[in-house]
Amino acid sequence: MNVQYLSNEKGEGVVQISIEDWKNIQAKLKRGAFLTSFAEALVELKLMKKGILPEPEIDELFDDSDDPISGDFWDELPDHVKESIDLGLQQSLAGQTKPHEEVMKKFVKYL
């Protein structure tokens, strides 16, 4: 990464990088935010399983009426998440699925 440090006569500085490097940094930040959000969701699931947090009703999960930015969240998803979802849909349509019980055996350690 080519980084340039610029400063004015007051010593106030800025960092200048290429657009490509900036896009790479943004992608890494989005992935990090997604992973943090995912980790927080797993903690909530564990607390629900222990009975510390109440489990939401299914209709509450999809109720975005109190969301100030109502609308489709698809555009906000990182590209790698969209690609994973598309791949999963293609696999499902092709019959390449696994039973719920088999998947849960693998992921029960995270709950």
Side-chain angles (χ1 to χ4, degrees):
M1 177 184 313
N2 182 15
V3 179
Q4 295 180 1
Y5 300 94
L6 307 171
S7 63
N8 61 17
E9 62 279 352
K10 295 180 183 178
E12 300 167 331
V14 296
V15 175
Q16 185 176 6
I17 60 174
S18 71
I19 294 294
E20 182 180 338
D21 288 338
W22 175 245
K23 288 179 181 178
N24 288 335
I25 290 169
Q26 285 181 315
K28 287 178 183 178
L29 289 172
K30 285 182 181 180
R31 280 192 295 275
F34 171 77
L35 293 175
T36 299
S37 176
F38 186 71
E40 290 170 355
L42 287 176
V43 169
E44 285 184 16
L45 285 172
K46 287 180 183 180
L47 294 173
M48 285 178 204
K49 187 175 181 180
K50 292 179 181 180
I52 297 170
L53 284 179
E55 293 184 22
E57 296 293 326
I58 190 70
D59 57 339
E60 292 175 29
L61 294 174
F62 299 102
D63 180 15
D64 62 354
S65 60
D66 61 346
D67 184 5
I69 307 173
S70 61
D72 194 353
F73 65 92
W74 180 260
D75 295 331
E76 303 301 319
L77 293 175
D79 288 339
H80 70 280
V81 173
K82 291 178 187 178
E83 291 166 5
S84 294
I85 292 170
D86 286 338
L87 177 61
L89 289 171
Q90 291 171 12
Q91 290 172 330
S92 177
L93 292 172
Q96 300 169 338
T97 60
K98 294 183 180 182
H100 181 261
E101 295 79 18
E102 183 180 334
V103 175
M104 290 309 294
K105 284 179 188 176
K106 182 176 179 180
F107 289 99
V108 70
K109 62 185 173 189
Y110 300 109
L111 300 177

